[in-house]
Amino acid sequence: MDETLRKKINLLVHLAKSDGKFHVSETAFLKDLLRKNDENDYDFETEGLDDDPLKSISSKLDKQELLYWCLQLIKADGIIHPDEVAFCKELSIKLNFDPLIIDTYSNKLLPTFDIFCEESQGFEG
């Protein structure tokens, strides 16, 4: 598996677990994401958080994609949990985005990824 994709999935798994529940819809979302990236070998149960989870996530597009996936994931089970939002806000800051991006998109339908990329530029730090 590509290192950048592995790091993104690793962060998403920890996001899914941040509310104390790893809902079946979150697992389904992650498995679908892996399939779309021609990957299917990932152990959701034993994978620990990387020491430097953002190391290979450096391009603007990779950062936008990770935030987009995070927003999709926190909505996957139909419940936007405060711990998930907090996790996403911390991540957005580390990715050099204003955490307001999480509040903005967690409370409305997500646009297509292309439109999200355009709009997210207004939240860059």
Side-chain angles (χ1 to χ4, degrees), residues 17-66:
K17 294 178 178 181
S18 69
D19 65 354
K21 301 174 202 138
F22 199 175
H23 196 271
V24 67
S25 61
E26 294 167 330
T27 303
F29 172 79
L30 291 167
K31 286 181 179 181
D32 187 50
L33 199 56
L34 286 167
R35 272 191 302 279
K36 287 178 183 176
N37 284 279
D38 297 321
E39 296 289 344
N40 55 8
D41 186 31
Y42 193 91
D43 187 351
F44 297 118
E45 298 304 317
T46 61
E47 190 73 26
L49 188 61
D50 290 344
D51 290 333
D52 190 3
L54 300 177
K55 184 176 183 179
S56 63
I57 304 171
S58 56
S59 77
K60 181 178 176 178
L61 185 61
D62 281 331
K63 292 175 181 182
Q64 290 168 318
E65 184 176 60
L66 178 57

Side-chain angles (χ1 to χ4, degrees), residues 88-114:
C88 288
K89 284 182 176 185
E90 287 178 33
L91 182 59
S92 70
I93 291 168
K94 291 177 182 176
L95 294 172
N96 204 29
F97 285 89
D98 185 325
L100 184 58
I101 193 170
I102 304 304
D103 290 330
T104 300
Y105 289 102
S106 64
N107 294 315
K108 67 179 186 177
L109 283 175
L110 280 173
T112 63
F113 180 64
D114 291 339

